[in-house]
Amino acid sequence: MLLGDPEADPDDPRFCWLSGRRPSAAAPEGHEILAKFGVTGAESLHLSKSDALDFLIRGRWDGVVVEAPYQKLAMEVCGHLSQAARTTGLVNLLLREGDGTVTGDFTLATGLTRLLPSLGVPLEECRALFLTGPLGDPLSEGLARLLLKLGVVSADLVKIGNPLTEERIEALPAAQRANLLINATEFGHAPDFEGMPIETPGCLSAFPKLVAVLDLIDNPIRTRLVWCAQTHGLQARSALGLRVIEAREATELFTGRTLPFSATRTILGDIRRDAANIVLIGMPGCGKTTIGKVVAGRLMREFVDIDALVEARVGKPSQRIYREDGEAYFRSHESAVIESLAGRHGLVISTGGGACLMPRNRMLLALNGTFLWLQRPLSKLSTYKRPIPQQRGVEVLYEERAPIYRELAERIITVRTIEETVSEIIGEEEMV
């Protein structure tokens, strides 16, 4: 099909990203990812299907990255389809040729062939199970066909309207053979932070051969499903890596430049680093607040002290809350504060020493957070105005809490001087 209306807007961008998602710091706009690969002047467009079709027909673009729900629609403007596009029945990239015709491609094969082995699921051994919404999902259906073309053992789709129970999982033959679970539902997408396509974390044990989880949700950074899978010892990823690979493939085809695949890892790390909260954990008196304020200042981030937010919420100092209302009362408000922070990005968060005792708190902080454990010798911990260390002793608290800190910690930072500690945190953070 010949496209390009002579009366089309001459200011139409050469390269576009037709987006079907809600942008956030965790899942930036497509043109922002393209810019990291050196494609300047691209735009992200959020259009109705009718407006999208009109733009694709009349616009003077040279290339368009196409997301769901436009990927079937985009096929209507193509004069040529790649083998991958024909296999999937979808187009995620449109390129205008020199003669004015349009070629449609589906470029995620490269991403999948790289991603699956990194999850511990080689293509030739992969048995994938897609969970979709009750009406199905064209992207999942296309990916399943593509995986089969690439040589996986099986690729099954199961439609669900409610999270799967353990009994339902055990009754599904596809679930019993799957070693890769792919969530294509909306369960867990912000702001539904506690949603999962399975009823409880324990349901993961009902998949006897499960090795890895891929969640096609990219906001938050780490969905509850991904977090639970990781805590069960499984490999787990969100979809952001695939989007970055998609941008790399588009950049190569838009510009004719060959990009090293290492650029994908670097850019993915940059996006996650910028979006992730730095969550400081550790014993009371180890310096989380003091160090956190300096780190936030150096990185030009907002600093949040959970204990201070609890005090502001209740209207009195922590010591009085413990003395007059008890620890349980303090913890309930602490959990409410943590819940209010679950959707935030780019913060430096100082947690109270016991904030991570509750599993739900740990999960909520993990959604968009990177945990740094500040370690300091017990003899140097300050107990001034700290009710629990004063009552129970730091040694007892450490024995109780250290295993939790150790399990959560993505980095362990030994507290020395403020300057040395801050430099170590910032230096490591820049290398994520």
Side-chain angles (χ1 to χ4, degrees):
M1 177 183 290
L2 266 180
L3 301 180
D5 188 323
E7 297 181 2
D9 185 351
D11 294 326
D12 281 350
R14 289 182 60 208
F15 304 121
C16 312
W17 193 296
L18 193 52
S19 178
R21 70 188 65 233
R22 292 160 283 180
S24 73
E29 291 276 30
H31 74 276
E32 296 174 316
I33 304 177
L34 288 173
K36 291 179 181 292
F37 284 104
V39 178
T40 59
E43 289 187 17
S44 292
L45 305 175
H46 299 263
L47 303 174
S48 68
K49 286 190 176 182
S50 61
D51 287 343
L53 182 59
D54 184 64
F55 170 76
L56 294 177
I57 292 174
R58 293 170 54 84
R60 289 185 174 180
W61 48 265
D62 290 331
V64 184
V65 180
V66 184
E67 290 185 4
Y70 311 102
Q71 291 175 338
K72 278 191 175 295
L73 180 77
M75 296 186 73
E76 297 182 24
V77 304
C78 295
H80 314 282
L81 291 174
S82 69
Q83 180 60 52
R86 288 194 294 270
T87 296
T88 59
L90 302 171
V91 165
N92 77 330
L93 182 67
L94 295 172
L95 293 171
R96 193 186 303 281
E97 307 293 351
D99 62 0
T101 61
V102 173
T103 295
D105 200 353
F106 192 82
T107 63
L108 290 184
T110 300
L112 291 171
T113 55
R114 295 248 182 190
L115 178 64
L116 297 188
S118 75
L119 288 170
V121 185
L123 274 171
E124 65 274 10
E125 299 174 12
C126 179
R127 294 173 173 83
L129 171 60
F130 291 81
L131 298 180
T132 76
L135 300 179
D137 174 49
L139 178 58
S140 296
E141 294 163 9
L143 288 174
R145 289 192 292 270
L146 180 60
L147 285 174
L148 291 170
K149 184 75 173 179
L150 292 172
V152 304
V153 180
S154 62
D156 300 295
L157 292 96
V158 173
K159 299 177 183 179
I160 61 173
N162 297 297
L164 291 175
T165 63
E166 189 169 345
E167 293 76 14
R168 175 90 188 280
I169 295 168
E170 291 172 346
L172 284 171
Q176 296 307 294
R177 62 174 172 263
N179 56 13
L180 172 65
L181 177 65
I182 302 175
N183 176 38
T185 73
E186 283 293 296
F187 292 118
H189 194 290
D192 178 27
F193 296 118
E194 297 191 70
M196 289 194 297
I198 55 176
E199 195 170 61
T200 66
C203 289
L204 287 168
S205 301
F207 296 88
K209 298 181 180 179
L210 194 61
V211 172
V213 170
L214 174 61
D215 201 327
L216 298 185
I217 290 170
D218 54 16
N219 181 25
I221 295 172
R222 176 165 42 192
T223 62
R224 186 186 176 201
L225 176 64
V226 169
W227 168 249
C228 290
Q230 290 173 341
T231 58
H232 275 70
L234 302 172
Q235 291 290 323
R237 303 277 196 284
S238 76
L240 181 59
L242 282 176
R243 287 189 74 218
V244 176
I245 293 172
E246 191 174 25
R248 173 186 173 274
E249 298 290 308
T251 299
E252 288 195 334
L253 292 168
F254 286 168
T255 66
R257 293 187 287 115
T258 299
L259 300 171
F261 203 82
S262 58
T264 306
R265 291 190 292 270
T266 300
I267 289 170
L268 178 60
D270 288 345
I271 294 171
R272 286 178 170 160
R273 179 201 63 199
D274 292 343
N277 301 318
I278 299 172
V279 183
L280 303 179
I281 61 175
M283 288 288 288
C286 71
K288 297 186 294 293
T289 298
T290 300
I291 291 166
K293 287 179 178 178
V294 179
V295 169
R298 297 276 179 88
L299 295 177
M300 293 185 290
R301 293 187 174 209
E302 181 181 348
F303 174 73
V304 172
D305 185 309
I306 288 178
D307 282 353
L309 291 180
V310 172
E311 292 178 345
R313 178 185 174 94
V314 177
K316 53 187 171 183
S318 297
Q319 276 193 311
R320 280 188 57 196
I321 298 173
Y322 277 99
R323 184 173 65 249
E324 297 173 5
D325 306 293
E327 182 178 356
Y329 182 81
F330 180 91
R331 296 293 177 210
S332 68
H333 285 278
E334 181 180 60
S335 294
V337 166
I338 290 171
E339 183 177 356
S340 72
L341 297 174
R344 303 281 302 280
H345 299 96
L347 305 174
V348 177
I349 300 175
S350 170
T351 63
C356 294
L357 295 179
M358 295 180 62
R360 181 171 180 267
N361 289 351
R362 298 198 288 269
M363 181 273 295
L364 290 172
L365 289 167
L367 296 175
N368 288 307
T370 298
F371 291 101
L372 275 62
W373 179 12
L374 301 190
Q375 280 192 336
R376 194 172 195 174
L378 300 187
S379 60
K380 295 186 177 181
L381 295 177
S382 170
T383 61
Y384 179 65
K385 290 188 176 180
R386 303 182 191 278
I388 295 182
Q390 290 174 349
Q391 293 169 7
R392 301 178 58 193
V394 293
E395 293 81 4
V396 173
L397 286 184
Y398 184 81
E399 290 298 319
E400 175 187 82
R401 297 176 180 180
I404 295 174
Y405 297 152
R406 188 171 292 109
E407 181 181 352
L408 289 176
E410 292 161 79
R411 290 176 186 79
I412 298 176
I413 307 294
T414 300
V415 176
R416 297 185 293 277
T417 66
I418 292 176
E419 182 60 36
E420 289 173 325
T421 306
V422 169
S423 295
E424 182 176 355
I425 291 171
I426 292 175
E428 296 228 7
E429 185 63 16
E430 289 177 344
M431 293 169 60
V432 172

